[in-house]
Amino acid sequence: MTKRPVAFTFYERGWIVRVQPPADPKSQHAMLMLHGWTGDENVMSIFGQSVPEFYWLISPRGPVNAEPSGFGWLGGDSLKNARYSDYAVVTDELDLQVDHWIDYLRISTESLDIMGFSQGGALALCYLLRHPDRIRRAACLAGFLPPNAEKVLHPQSLSGKTVLIAHGSLDKTVPIEQANLAATALRSAGAEVVFCQDEVGHKLGSGCYKGLETFFNM
């Protein structure tokens, strides 16, 4: 059986991006993987092991230095007080960069799947809301819907989209209530939401990890 080639990292337009090529170099399936606060371009690789080998796995490093180490997407005063409008600015800048990365990798696709953990999960949902025509499937792992995002959701605005919400019932960083609120809001906009809950803290439990594999194999 053909295995994935070794991952590589490139620097482009000020962004550091880790790429895990697919087993088939001609594959046109791409997934954007967004780490959480204090993460980097390497940490999402654990989740990449659970998705089909036909994906190009594109994992950028967040542009903000995190404390005490690592990186993030929003920082400073906005870390706890950020709203949908703050995430929207980061999302639109990221979308512009994705175009360059897709061209650089010579992937002929206009659609992406997207996966994010914690703060990266919030960014993944914001990406879906702002660019629904570009996103096929989205997974929010231990994440949340950015505050005020419900104001831009309308009935059927996410019709035909499928979203995985995976969360720990013991999560004290992002309480499970945030996951329930996100699922309700996305369903009200017409999205098909797959909800997975494990009895763990701020991480992905074994049941949801298996669910992640199933979700992206559909």
Side-chain angles (χ1 to χ4, degrees), residues 15-67:
W15 290 72
I16 293 175
V17 185
R18 181 185 190 272
V19 176
Q20 179 69 69
D24 179 1
K26 296 181 180 180
S27 174
Q28 301 304 311
H29 296 275
M31 182 183 298
L32 187 62
M33 306 182 71
L34 306 175
H35 65 76
W37 182 248
T38 72
D40 61 22
E41 68 278 10
N42 298 305
V43 298
M44 293 295 288
S45 61
I46 183 66
F47 301 126
Q49 296 174 12
S50 68
V51 302
E53 294 192 345
F54 56 70
Y55 277 107
W56 287 89
L57 302 179
I58 304 172
S59 306
R61 175 188 292 183
V64 175
N65 287 321
E67 295 293 341

Side-chain angles (χ1 to χ4, degrees), residues 125-181:
L125 293 184
C126 186
Y127 207 125
L128 174 65
L129 268 58
R130 295 191 66 76
H131 305 282
D133 292 341
R134 181 155 204 172
I135 302 300
R136 190 183 69 96
R137 283 177 173 259
C140 178
L141 316 178
F144 55 94
L145 191 66
N148 293 340
E150 64 277 1
K151 294 182 179 180
V152 304
L153 289 171
H154 306 287
Q156 303 309 309
S157 61
L158 294 179
S159 178
K161 302 301 176 182
T162 307
V163 184
L164 172 67
I165 303 290
H167 217 91
S169 61
L170 306 180
D171 194 336
K172 295 182 179 180
T173 303
V174 181
I176 187 67
E177 290 78 12
Q178 293 294 315
N180 289 322
L181 288 172

Side-chain angles (χ1 to χ4, degrees), residues 75-82:
D77 293 338
S78 66
L79 184 58
K80 292 184 178 180
N81 301 318

Side-chain angles (χ1 to χ4, degrees), residues 96-217:
L96 291 175
Q97 302 307 318
V98 168
D99 281 333
H100 298 303
W101 302 335
I102 292 296
D103 288 342
Y104 175 82
L105 297 170
R106 298 181 180 180
I107 305 172
S108 300
T109 182
E110 295 181 357
S111 65
L112 300 165
D113 284 356
I114 191 168
M115 178 197 307
F117 178 83
S118 194
Q119 189 185 68
L123 191 64
L125 293 184
C126 186
Y127 207 125
L128 174 65
L129 268 58
R130 295 191 66 76
H131 305 282
D133 292 341
R134 181 155 204 172
I135 302 300
R136 190 183 69 96
R137 283 177 173 259
C140 178
L141 316 178
F144 55 94
L145 191 66
N148 293 340
E150 64 277 1
K151 294 182 179 180
V152 304
L153 289 171
H154 306 287
Q156 303 309 309
S157 61
L158 294 179
S159 178
K161 302 301 176 182
T162 307
V163 184
L164 172 67
I165 303 290
H167 217 91
S169 61
L170 306 180
D171 194 336
K172 295 182 179 180
T173 303
V174 181
I176 187 67
E177 290 78 12
Q178 293 294 315
N180 289 322
L181 288 172
T184 298
L186 295 171
R187 286 181 177 129
S188 72
E192 178 186 348
V193 177
V194 178
F195 193 93
C196 180
Q197 176 179 321
D198 278 330
E199 193 173 346
V200 296
H202 193 56
K203 60 181 182 180
L204 199 66
S206 59
C208 291
Y209 188 87
K210 293 178 181 178
L212 187 66
E213 180 177 2
T214 301
F215 181 74
F216 285 111
N217 264 299

